[in-house]
Amino acid sequence: MDKALAYAISAIIVGFGVWIFVMGLGSSSPSLWSIVGLVPVAIGLTSAFGPS
């Protein structure tokens, strides 16, 4: 159960980063928001698949 919760939290973090990335593409500074969106994606993927 704990492992499933950890993966769910990681998926939420990745989803938030993807949301920032997609919304940032339509903003006035898409390159900045794309980089900002990739930070939580990297953190979420590292959390899910990194060393335990």
Side-chain angles (χ1 to χ4, degrees):
M1 183 68 180
D2 292 335
K3 198 158 192 110
L5 182 62
Y7 281 126
I9 292 170
S10 296
I12 290 170
I13 293 171
V14 169
F16 181 66
V18 169
W19 178 74
I20 293 172
F21 180 80
V22 170
M23 291 296 132
L25 292 177
S27 71
S28 61
S29 180
S31 60
L32 171 71
W33 285 109
S34 297
I35 293 169
V36 169
L38 290 176
V39 171
V41 170
I43 291 171
L45 290 175
T46 303
S47 173
F49 301 112
S52 45

